Amino acid sequence: PFSVLMGLTIIRLFVLYHDHQHGTILRGSWLANGIMTVFGLLTLNPPSVWKRSHQHHHVNNSKGFGMNAGSFPLMTVDGFAKASAWEKRGYVVQRHPLTIACGYVTVFLVGMCIAPFIANPRRHTDAALSILCHGLLLLWVGFHDLDDLWLAAVLPCAIASALGAYLFYAQHNIPGIRLRTGADWDYVSAALHSSSYSRMNWLMQWFTGNIGYHHVHHLNSHIPFYRLPAAMSAFTELQSPATTSLKVRDIAACLRLKLWDPVSDRLVPWPRHDVQQVAIELPVITSEGAELNVKAA
């Protein structure tokens, strides 16, 4: 139970880190800068990588398809059908529920540290430093007792990372969102219609720092986390977002969404080839006994 509590506390602290990186809270405080930098390094969220990818995500929220820095990739139905086998495998892996559940390794260790450092060691030196600091923390915690390592470090980090990775996913991958690209894209519409609102009870709202009010955050990232509910209540335009929750059925509904279908203008699951529409000729006998050929799917 305390491992779970510690994991949720890491989420709460991460929201403070998130807002500080936006320049929303504690701006200009050298003490806060130091504390937040240490927190980012210890939790596999190196400041250079987080700031660069997250700012890019805000400016380009749901602007296009394919790879998306700071979020999960998204392909159209047609784009996926035309992709190579290697591209399809990579896409399937990145959006797989196990990838989200194992976010400690997949999203944070690999995605936030190893991959950026390999891509640009000079720009992301702190990514290597983050791996070193996190490793030393694990070593220190588990030095005398492996139970301490498991219960006080690995399990809390795994819980925080899994929930954090899912929240990243659900912020832009839920039933009811609308995506516009090219000339049809604009910042306000992307914030209000391509970002979600997650209903939570008061306790989870506290632990997640109101990050469920994600459409409001995307509209203006300088609204501090503790003012997001008031902002949503104050403006009618903010009160009709695509909505989800942390209930099992809503999580399952979000995880089933894999591709964007421009025809139906919605996110859809993987295509089922065994139920593809195929026109076949079927003989039908009318009441007069005449045979008609009709096309059926």
Side-chain angles (χ1 to χ4, degrees), residues 3 26 54 88 105 118-119 183 185 195 208 232 264 267 270 283 287:
S3 298
L26 305 171
H54 197 62
K88 287 180 179 178
V105 174
I118 292 175
W185 184 93
S195 306
T208 60
M232 181 174 176
S264 61
L267 288 167
W270 296 122
S287 57

Side-chain angles (χ1 to χ4, degrees), residues 276-284 293-297:
Q276 283 184 330
Q277 290 187 337
V278 180
I280 57 175
E281 296 281 332
L282 290 178
V284 174
N293 285 327
V294 297
K295 286 188 175 183

Side-chain angles (χ1 to χ4, degrees), residues 135-168:
L136 290 174
L137 175 65
L138 296 182
L139 185 64
W140 175 66
V141 172
F143 183 74
H144 294 292
D145 194 331
L146 290 181
D147 282 348
D148 292 346
L149 174 64
W150 169 245
L151 295 174
V154 174
L155 190 56
C157 288
I159 291 170
S161 298
L163 178 57
Y166 176 72
L167 288 174
F168 287 159

Side-chain angles (χ1 to χ4, degrees), residues 52-53 56-57 60-76 79-80 83 86-95 99 106-107 110-112 115-116 173 179 181 258-259:
R52 176 172 171 267
S53 63
H56 179 275
H57 167 64
N60 298 278
N61 174 28
S62 304
K63 183 179 284 188
F65 300 105
M67 296 305 296
N68 189 346
S71 185
F72 285 81
L74 180 63
M75 298 177 72
T76 63
F80 183 77
W86 179 254
E87 290 171 331
K88 287 180 179 178
R89 279 193 292 269
Y91 182 77
V92 169
V93 168
Q94 286 180 293
R95 291 183 69 92
T99 301
T106 57
V107 175
V110 175
M112 293 292 292
N173 293 272
L179 302 180
T181 59
K258 303 298 183 181
L259 300 164

